[in-house]
Amino acid sequence: MSSSRERNAPWKGGKKGPQRPLNRKQDNVSDEWLWGWHAVSAALGNTARKAPERLLATADRTKEIEARFGRQKVLETLDPQVIGNHLPAGAVHQGVALRVPHLQAWGLDAFDAKPGAVLLMLDQVTDPQNVGAILRSAAAFGASGVILQDRHAPKLSGALAKAAAGAVDAIPSARVINLSRALEELAELGWRAVGLAGTAEKTLNQALNGEPTVLVLGSEGEGLRRLVAEHCDELARIDMPGGFESLNVSAAAAVALYEATRTRS
């Protein structure tokens, strides 16, 4: 006996018996995809990327892709709903989705510790929307790169890449196992670390001095962990005369990057 859900499903086919439901997700739904026009077009234009595995697009997006990037061997022109069936529920794909190998992470020694250079380090910031927004701000303000903790950071794909609006391919990123050791290595390479903490005595403006600087941000709930904070050269707070105690971590990153840009200028 079939269930109510089975009886009411919108089947194709009719007389010869039920076939696959129209709205059923495909078996290969994955969060490894990139979706959204900015994320996909940035990935297609990034020569550091390996060749894409699949590229799904609506008819209009197919024309845009071919006009901008030429013919793509893996391009499939599909209806918007069919594209959505390959993606997590709720993904706003804007008519395009790309499955491509992840970018290779940078080593810490690849970042040039030149005067005015700024890196961001994220201490257990795990929300994909926040990390995506931080990458976008880092690219906008000319940061040298972003350092993530390998086991406590989301993959640079899916919703994160959509929120980053192309910044995943515009800003270098590194993944490290231990942030404290990474700060020690960066110090040997000429970087100075400033950790953001709401209880710090100095303001960020007072702590920045134009030297190559790693801005270290903690998660919204816990802030910087003790060992990470102890490996910073200084702790500083964002001056907030309005009286609020803290900002969303992505907003704090944008403010910190703006302050660093002013110091650099």
Side-chain angles (χ1 to χ4, degrees), residues 195-210:
L196 269 67
T199 58
E201 293 184 5
K202 280 189 176 182
T203 65
L204 183 58
N205 183 51
Q206 293 169 335
L208 294 171
N209 60 10

Side-chain angles (χ1 to χ4, degrees), residues 105-123:
W106 283 43
L108 297 181
D109 58 356
F111 296 116
D112 187 7
K114 59 186 178 182
V118 176
L119 288 171
L120 284 181
M121 176 179 282
L122 306 183
D123 181 13

Side-chain angles (χ1 to χ4, degrees), residues 115-202:
V118 176
L119 288 171
L120 284 181
M121 176 179 282
L122 306 183
D123 181 13
Q124 296 193 335
V125 179
T126 58
D127 180 80
Q129 297 289 340
N130 278 335
V131 178
I134 289 169
L135 286 169
R136 188 173 183 177
S137 294
F141 287 105
S144 297
V146 177
I147 301 168
L148 306 166
Q149 191 175 19
D150 192 43
R151 293 179 61 187
H152 298 283
K155 296 178 181 178
L156 302 184
S157 59
L160 184 156
K162 177 68 164 54
V168 166
D169 286 270
I171 190 80
S173 62
R175 285 183 176 265
V176 298
I177 296 173
N178 188 298
L179 295 184
S180 297
R181 290 177 186 171
L183 287 172
E184 292 174 357
E185 183 178 342
L186 288 165
E188 293 176 358
L189 293 169
W191 293 89
R192 174 173 173 265
V194 177
L196 269 67
T199 58
E201 293 184 5
K202 280 189 176 182

